[in-house]
Amino acid sequence: MATAIDERALEEQVYDLIVRASTDLPEDVVRAMKEARSHEKDGTSAKNVFGMLLQNVDLAREAKTPICQDTGTNIYHVHYPAGTSTLQLRKVIKRATERATKDSILRPNAVDPITGKNSGNNLGTENPFFHFEEWEDDALEIKLMLKGGGCENVSGQYKLPDSSLDAGRDLNGVYKTIIDAVNNAQGLGCAPGIIGAGVGGDRATSHLTAKKQLFRKLDDDNPDAELAKMEKRLYKDLNSLGIGPMGFGGKTTVLGVKLGTAHRVPASYFVSIAYMCWAYRRHSLTLKNGEVIYD
Amino acid sequence: MINLELPSSEEKIRGLKIGDEVHIFGTMITARDAAHKYLIEEQPDYIRPYLENSLIYHCGPVVKKSNGAWSFVAAGPTTSIREEPYEGTVIQNYNVRGVIGKGGMGDKTLAALNEHGAVYLHAIGGLASLLAQSVKEVKDVFMLEEFGVPEAMWVIEVEDFPAVVTMDPHKNSIHTKIKSESTEQANRLIHPVV
């Protein structure tokens, strides 16, 4: 049985969620960066870059200022219990977004593509972006990711087979597209990146599947044994490319690889690659029995 | 570590080479997509003194206004390659000594750096809170209403602003070297010899 939403309380909670997302890099990401730093040689640019990035992470958390000025597309994936009004959720999240923009937690990032006019408050068509799914749990879960434009620009979609890559319609073909995408990205997506890939689907659901993978924890295991094995292989091989942090060269090109699938029509085989920058800003809030838990 | 004071002479810039780590001091201006188009299409004269012998920073900051004064809250670099069609001409027309950005730029800009004595400085992407602390003062802003906060041209005074030379006035680019090496490895992985 769903309980009614306390709009005022939820607006505060979503505001807190936005502050966390923008200013507080999740622990699993910080751990992965520290681990990666330990693998880089002393005196190299790669090692120095990690040092400065981690210093910036600490500073942003203490000062409550954005880790990166590009606070990106605000991507909300929401799971809600039966009876919840998603219209109401949209309204509340939009209000919190407007406030966070005014308080310099978010940069005004919604630009009309025809007039070039920035809306100034982060509200606009498909901004913020919402993906709602009802679930059987009686909890409300709001997940937020801030995905910057630099890494979105190096994301992409392949259609298999691809003869230039000798990539067929199988997991080995998927492997080749991901190697190619990360090599093409070089440092432009603010490496080291995190790769979410969606295999199958139509063009839109393929991208959605890729983005969904980015909400997983870096240290989780894919429940599908074959995908889990491929994630590990890709992680190792992508880090052999030598692109390194910021593309300056080094042993760390990616911090993680996450694969997901969606059924496709017989004629199509898409692989979508969502490249996330090292400033992997994602947090969630769960409301259950009147209690709020942030992650 | 090299201290780079702005405005800078062409001679000093020509002394820089790839891999040099610099700390920047002085007045520079932010310009990104809308601003580059504007600099080429409208050629505004009032902006010349801010560009002459100084640097362009590819940055769309998060800003704050308190007691009538602007300050930078978060200010890391944005991707530079989008300005590739414009940058060489901007450097030439406005006598700019270089740009700060991320990701590097292409052949046209590399040639312009060589021809006009300018440099490409790579700031660390996502280092926004830390770099904002290097911005000591926002001195002025142009085209704020027209372009919005991220795209406006902000005149800023910086101190101890860290960056690495990744493209120098001698036609060298770290980006070209890394890309050619990583592409060799990618090809080995994609087309294994069986």
Side-chain angles (χ1 to χ4, degrees):
Chain A
M1 176 68 193
T3 46
I5 290 172
D6 178 345
E7 283 194 14
R8 203 170 272 265
L10 186 63
E11 186 186 318
E12 287 308 313
Q13 288 152 355
V14 172
Y15 181 89
D16 280 351
L17 176 66
I18 297 171
V19 172
R20 277 166 205 260
S22 179
T23 68
D24 184 4
L25 197 69
E27 268 316 308
D28 62 325
V29 185
V30 174
R31 260 201 313 277
M33 288 187 41
K34 286 182 176 165
E35 164 92 26
R37 178 177 59 174
S38 74
H39 296 150
E40 300 288 354
K41 265 197 220 125
D42 282 342
T44 58
S45 295
K47 189 106 175 175
N48 296 343
V49 168
F50 273 122
M52 282 198 266
L53 293 180
L54 286 162
Q55 205 185 330
N56 181 58
V57 166
D58 286 344
L59 177 67
R61 185 180 291 140
E62 280 161 30
K64 280 203 168 30
T65 50
I67 297 165
C68 177
Q69 77 290 338
D70 186 356
T71 54
T73 304
N74 295 193
I75 301 170
Y76 286 92
H77 283 202
V78 179
H79 284 105
Y80 61 95
T84 303
S85 160
T86 59
L87 283 179
Q88 197 180 18
L89 290 175
R90 276 176 199 266
K91 191 173 75 183
V92 170
I93 292 172
K94 282 182 178 176
R95 278 209 300 257
T97 302
E98 217 173 343
R99 268 177 56 203
T101 309
K102 208 171 271 172
D103 294 347
S104 305
I105 297 298
L106 296 175
R107 186 177 72 180
N109 253 5
V111 179
D112 183 301
I114 307 303
T115 65
K117 190 79 189 156
N118 191 316
S119 73
N121 59 4
N122 271 310
L123 304 185
T125 308
E126 299 289 0
N127 277 276
F129 174 77
F130 296 103
H131 174 72
F132 290 106
E133 280 179 46
E134 185 179 322
W135 62 0
E136 288 181 1
D137 204 321
D138 61 359
L140 171 68
E141 181 194 57
I142 302 177
K143 295 191 284 197
L144 167 62
M145 178 161 46
L146 307 182
K147 190 169 189 300
C151 65
E152 188 68 3
N153 284 347
V154 297
S155 298
Q157 194 167 62
Y158 291 79
K159 191 170 55 143
L160 296 181
D162 183 317
S163 53
S164 69
L165 298 173
D166 284 334
R169 294 181 145 198
D170 52 29
L171 201 49
N172 197 39
V174 172
Y175 166 88
K176 292 182 178 194
T177 63
I178 295 173
I179 298 284
D180 188 58
V182 172
N183 185 50
N184 289 339
Q186 291 291 302
L188 291 170
C190 278
I194 298 87
I195 310 304
V199 180
D202 70 355
R203 287 197 183 269
T205 56
S206 185
H207 272 305
L208 179 65
T209 304
K211 289 254 170 55
K212 274 187 182 178
Q213 306 315 308
L214 293 175
F215 280 107
R216 288 167 52 192
K217 297 278 188 205
L218 276 174
D219 51 7
D220 76 350
D221 285 314
N222 197 312
D224 180 302
E226 211 179 341
L227 293 181
K229 210 170 120 196
M230 182 50 83
E231 288 176 356
K232 289 198 172 74
R233 180 179 164 205
L234 275 163
Y235 175 78
K236 185 172 149 275
D237 287 354
L238 289 171
N239 281 325
S240 77
L241 291 176
I243 294 166
M246 293 302 128
F248 292 173
K251 292 179 178 167
T252 319
T253 297
V254 296
L255 295 174
V257 183
K258 304 288 169 188
L259 307 176
T261 62
H263 279 71
R264 59 182 178 84
V265 295
S268 303
Y269 197 122
F270 295 112
V271 183
S272 298
I273 290 146
Y275 190 114
M276 184 66 196
C277 58
W278 72 265
Y280 187 10
R281 291 153 291 168
R282 48 126 166 79
H283 279 283
S284 72
L285 79 78
T286 307
L287 255 181
K288 189 163 179 153
N289 303 326
E291 238 189 294
V292 59
I293 301 153
Y294 293 95
D295 183 29
Chain B
M1 195 69 71
I2 297 164
N3 283 349
L4 179 59
E5 313 255 352
L6 301 175
S8 175
S9 68
E10 183 179 339
E11 191 192 354
K12 167 105 182 173
I13 296 293
R14 288 210 184 262
L16 296 171
K17 57 183 190 314
I18 52 169
D20 284 346
E21 292 181 17
V22 302
H23 278 204
I24 303 155
F25 297 77
T27 304
M28 60 191 191
I29 188 164
T30 70
R32 44 180 294 172
D33 311 75
H36 276 78
K37 190 165 178 280
Y38 171 69
L39 290 173
I40 295 290
E41 288 177 4
E42 314 270 329
Q43 307 202 10
D45 275 329
Y46 71 88
I47 209 80
R48 289 188 181 276
Y50 301 99
L51 294 166
E52 180 95 15
N53 290 319
S54 186
L55 298 173
I56 287 176
Y57 183 22
H58 296 157
C59 171
V62 175
V63 298
K64 196 177 196 161
K65 195 173 197 176
S66 47
N67 302 322
W70 291 105
S71 62
F72 273 24
V73 177
T78 190
T79 306
S80 300
I81 194 69
R82 294 191 306 268
E83 316 319 334
E84 181 64 13
Y86 311 108
E87 205 69 82
T89 314
V90 168
I91 288 169
Q92 179 178 15
N93 288 359
Y94 295 89
N95 204 24
V96 189
R97 289 277 80 89
V99 294
I100 310 170
K102 75 175 175 79
M105 300 188 74
D107 292 342
K108 201 174 149 196
T109 302
L110 191 62
L113 299 179
N114 174 256
E115 200 172 325
H116 307 291
V119 68
Y120 181 84
L121 297 152
H122 200 301
I124 311 247
L127 203 68
S129 281
L130 209 62
L131 289 177
Q133 290 201 332
S134 292
V135 179
K136 296 301 170 192
E137 191 193 343
V138 176
K139 297 172 116 174
D140 216 333
V141 58
F142 299 105
M143 301 302 281
L144 178 59
E145 186 54 37
E146 294 83 347
F147 295 165
V149 166
E151 301 260 5
M153 291 183 285
W154 299 88
V155 181
I156 54 175
E157 176 79 19
V158 302
E159 209 175 279
D160 228 8
F161 185 106
V164 181
V165 176
T166 59
M167 293 165 66
D168 68 21
H170 320 291
K171 297 186 182 171
N172 302 308
S173 165
I174 286 181
H175 307 287
T176 313
K177 178 176 163 282
I178 299 282
K179 180 150 195 186
S180 108
E181 288 167 5
S182 76
T183 301
E184 266 181 46
Q185 171 63 359
N187 283 335
R188 276 192 291 270
L189 296 167
I190 292 170
H191 308 287
V193 182
V194 281

